[in-house]
Each structure stands twice: as structure tokens, then as C-alpha cells.
Amino acid sequence: FQDFTPSLAEAMKLEPILVFENLLRSGGSLTQLLDSSETVANEELAAFYGLGNVTGTEMRPVKWVDDHRGGLLGMAAVLTASATPNRTSPVLRGKWVLENLLGRKLPEPPANAGQLDDKAGERGLTLREELAAHRRNETCAACHDKIDPVGFGLENFDAIGRFREMEAGKPVDATGALPGGLNFNGPAEFR
């Protein structure tokens, strides 16, 4: 990920901190952390997000121009921290949402559960397809059936949080479900 420079990483880390500070100072609602039409960015982060009219290194308020992003789940820092170094991870992202936003404690995976290798998603299959094969193991399915449907809602974002519509030469399938069965399609509905 050549776009992932040290200065971009710093701006990504600063974004959620400043958004939360602004929320506290303005007396905003916690729901704004999940779904907001604004964030803060400098020129480099704004360009990464595809936002124009931002110049300089100073972080400042900006408005989203589409509904792909908004709140914590659209922030590159959260998306990067819940991915692997070389690919997305619906499992890590789903686990992060379930534990940190929904307050659900998930058990540790069994010692023999195995994991997808670093080539997952590079063999002409999407991660959804690779995880479907992984879930055929009953030991794995017990947890993945709860985690994966949540994490798939963020599959439109690559490992460093860039929005994408294609994966492994196929349109991204970002359909999923929250605990309780509420279905969604893509990050906007997921939020």
C-alpha cells in the first residue's frame, strides 16, 4: 500500500480523537460517532478519502460527499486497525464491531480452528468465498456464523480504508446481518 505514508497514518490516527473531542465540546450525541456527515481531515487525508478543497497539514472539519463513509466505521484508522497488513478481514472487523460497539464478549477461537492464509483473496476468490469454505468446518462455523455477517458490511473498504467496489475481479458483496437478524447492504445501511 504505497499510499500509506507515515504522515497519512498520523492523520488517520488523529481523526477519531479530534472527532470525539469535537463531539464532547459541542455536547453532541453519541450516535454521531456511528453516523455523521462530517469528520476532520487535512489535505492528505482528505485526498485519500476523495474529498477536495482541503489544503495544508492542519486538521479541519470537512463534510462527506457521499454516504459510503460516516462515523467511526468509515474512518481509515478503524478500518486499518481491524484488517491484516495485506488484506481486509471481515473476521477482525466483525469482532471489533461486536465487542467494541455492541458490547458482546466473543470467545477465543479453538486452538485447532486454523485461519485463512496470507494469500486469501488473491486466488481469484473473494474473502467471502474463502470464508465460506473455512466455515464448512463445524468448529469454525460456530463463531464465524456470528462474526462474518457483521464484518462483511465493511468489505467495501480495503485494508487501509480506501473505498472499493471490486474485489478479486468481482463486485464487492457487502451484504450482512446484525445480531437479531437485521440485514443490510453496504456501509451506509450497516451504520
Side-chain angles (χ1 to χ4, degrees):
F1 297 97
Q2 295 175 359
D3 303 18
F4 196 72
T5 64
S7 57
L8 178 61
E10 285 304 312
M12 287 177 174
K13 290 180 210 174
L14 196 53
E15 179 186 17
I17 293 167
L18 294 177
V19 166
F20 188 67
E21 267 184 14
N22 289 341
L23 179 76
L24 288 176
R25 286 189 181 140
S26 69
S29 165
L30 281 176
T31 59
Q32 289 175 275
L33 283 178
L34 297 178
D35 193 16
S36 175
S37 61
E38 297 180 1
T39 193
V40 294
N42 63 13
E43 182 174 0
E44 188 174 14
L45 185 57
F48 178 83
Y49 286 149
L51 303 172
N53 299 325
V54 178
T55 57
T57 58
E58 179 184 337
M59 298 290 277
R60 69 199 66 168
V62 295
K63 291 197 179 288
W64 296 116
V65 294
D66 56 46
D67 66 351
H68 300 314
R69 295 191 190 269
L72 286 173
L73 298 178
M75 292 183 186
V78 170
L79 295 162
T80 302
S82 59
T84 70
N86 60 338
R87 65 170 169 79
T88 67
S89 177
V91 177
L92 292 176
R93 289 177 175 173
K95 183 179 188 293
W96 189 88
V97 169
L98 287 166
E99 290 186 342
N100 294 291
L101 298 181
L102 299 179
R104 303 213 173 186
K105 179 67 179 140
L106 299 175
E108 290 297 319
N112 63 344
Q115 63 183 16
L116 295 180
D117 62 40
D118 286 342
K119 298 291 183 190
E122 294 179 14
R123 295 181 276 251
L125 298 174
T126 65
L127 282 176
R128 182 183 286 267
E129 292 166 335
E130 298 235 16
L131 283 166
H134 183 70
R135 280 195 311 271
R136 288 188 194 117
N137 177 336
E138 288 181 31
T139 305
C140 301
C143 291
H144 283 279
D145 286 347
K146 296 173 190 161
I147 298 170
D148 297 357
V150 175
F152 288 136
L154 299 174
E155 271 299 279
N156 279 115
F157 300 105
D158 72 8
I160 61 170
R162 289 180 298 204
F163 188 81
R164 64 189 181 153
E165 295 184 2
M166 301 294 288
E167 175 193 13
K170 302 169 187 168
V172 170
D173 180 355
T175 59
L178 291 168
L182 181 63
N183 295 316
F184 56 83
N185 184 0
E189 286 184 18
F190 183 41
R191 285 192 312 278

XYZ file of all heavy atoms in Angstrom, residues 67-68 152-157 173-176 184-191:
159
model
N -22.487 8.722 0.810
C -22.890 8.002 2.020
C -22.026 6.772 2.301
O -22.350 5.970 3.157
C -24.365 7.613 1.964
C -24.672 6.604 0.868
O -23.784 6.316 0.038
O -25.803 6.104 0.826
N -20.903 6.639 1.607
C -20.011 5.500 1.854
C -19.396 5.569 3.244
O -19.159 4.548 3.874
C -18.876 5.442 0.835
C -19.329 5.303 -0.579
N -20.292 4.415 -0.982
C -18.929 5.942 -1.698
C -20.469 4.514 -2.274
N -19.658 5.430 -2.734
N -18.739 -8.328 7.050
C -18.930 -8.145 5.614
C -19.472 -6.758 5.268
O -19.295 -6.290 4.153
C -19.858 -9.222 5.039
C -19.231 -10.583 4.952
C -19.943 -11.700 5.342
C -17.935 -10.755 4.481
C -19.389 -12.967 5.258
C -17.365 -12.014 4.403
C -18.093 -13.128 4.788
N -20.102 -6.096 6.210
C -20.626 -4.757 5.958
C -19.553 -3.729 5.666
O -19.839 -2.655 5.141
N -18.296 -4.065 5.974
C -17.185 -3.130 5.747
C -16.260 -3.599 4.622
O -15.180 -3.047 4.436
C -16.403 -2.942 7.050
C -17.231 -2.368 8.195
C -16.433 -2.357 9.495
C -17.733 -0.978 7.856
N -16.678 -4.581 3.854
C -15.832 -5.117 2.784
C -15.619 -4.151 1.632
O -14.747 -4.363 0.811
C -16.376 -6.442 2.264
C -15.859 -7.639 3.016
C -14.345 -7.780 2.945
O -13.816 -8.291 1.950
O -13.685 -7.352 3.914
N -16.420 -3.091 1.556
C -16.163 -2.083 0.528
C -14.880 -1.300 0.799
O -14.421 -0.563 -0.056
C -17.325 -1.088 0.408
C -18.455 -1.622 -0.419
O -19.544 -1.832 0.097
N -18.213 -1.864 -1.697
N -14.303 -1.470 1.978
C -13.067 -0.766 2.328
C -11.906 -1.741 2.310
O -11.980 -2.808 2.918
C -13.204 -0.130 3.716
C -14.314 0.864 3.808
C -15.490 0.544 4.460
C -14.193 2.117 3.233
C -16.528 1.457 4.554
C -15.231 3.045 3.316
C -16.396 2.711 3.970
N -19.383 -7.779 -2.389
C -20.652 -8.150 -1.765
C -20.561 -7.725 -0.304
O -19.926 -8.382 0.504
C -20.877 -9.658 -1.877
C -22.186 -10.116 -1.239
O -22.892 -9.282 -0.622
O -22.499 -11.311 -1.346
N -21.154 -6.607 0.023
C -21.097 -6.069 1.386
C -22.423 -6.263 2.107
O -22.806 -5.460 2.957
C -20.704 -4.600 1.354
N -23.131 -7.338 1.763
C -24.365 -7.656 2.481
C -24.008 -8.385 3.768
O -22.996 -9.075 3.854
C -25.308 -8.543 1.635
O -24.630 -9.749 1.292
C -25.758 -7.811 0.380
N -24.828 -8.206 4.755
C -24.586 -8.867 6.028
C -25.793 -8.761 6.919
O -26.876 -8.368 6.484
N -28.479 -5.858 6.092
C -28.030 -4.600 5.478
C -27.237 -4.915 4.219
O -26.796 -6.038 4.010
C -27.176 -3.784 6.459
C -25.992 -4.550 6.997
C -24.822 -4.629 6.263
C -26.051 -5.174 8.228
C -23.732 -5.354 6.742
C -24.968 -5.880 8.712
C -23.800 -5.962 7.964
N -27.064 -3.882 3.391
C -26.274 -3.996 2.183
C -25.354 -2.781 2.096
O -25.801 -1.689 1.750
C -27.151 -4.090 0.945
C -26.347 -4.319 -0.323
O -25.118 -4.418 -0.293
N -27.032 -4.420 -1.449
N -24.110 -2.952 2.442
C -23.116 -1.904 2.328
C -22.975 -1.077 3.593
O -23.778 -1.180 4.532
N -21.932 -0.243 3.612
C -21.612 0.505 4.830
C -22.668 1.525 5.248
O -22.867 1.752 6.443
C -20.282 1.177 4.513
C -20.092 1.080 3.048
C -20.935 -0.044 2.557
N -23.361 2.146 4.312
C -24.376 3.133 4.680
C -25.526 2.473 5.453
O -25.934 2.968 6.505
C -24.897 3.856 3.454
N -26.021 1.353 4.955
C -27.097 0.637 5.654
C -26.573 0.018 6.951
O -27.309 -0.065 7.929
C -27.694 -0.450 4.769
C -28.565 0.081 3.667
C -29.229 -1.023 2.841
O -29.295 -2.180 3.314
O -29.662 -0.725 1.720
N -25.333 -0.416 6.929
C -24.725 -1.018 8.127
C -24.701 -0.019 9.280
O -25.066 -0.336 10.396
C -23.317 -1.484 7.779
C -22.592 -2.194 8.897
C -23.232 -3.098 9.719
C -21.245 -1.973 9.094
C -22.550 -3.771 10.720
C -20.554 -2.628 10.092
C -21.207 -3.526 10.911
N -24.298 1.229 8.995
C -24.287 2.248 10.054
C -25.677 2.449 10.596
O -25.885 2.630 11.770
C -23.749 3.581 9.511
C -22.266 3.598 9.312
C -21.756 5.000 9.071
N -22.516 5.747 8.078
C -22.338 5.647 6.762
N -21.446 4.831 6.271
N -23.061 6.357 5.935
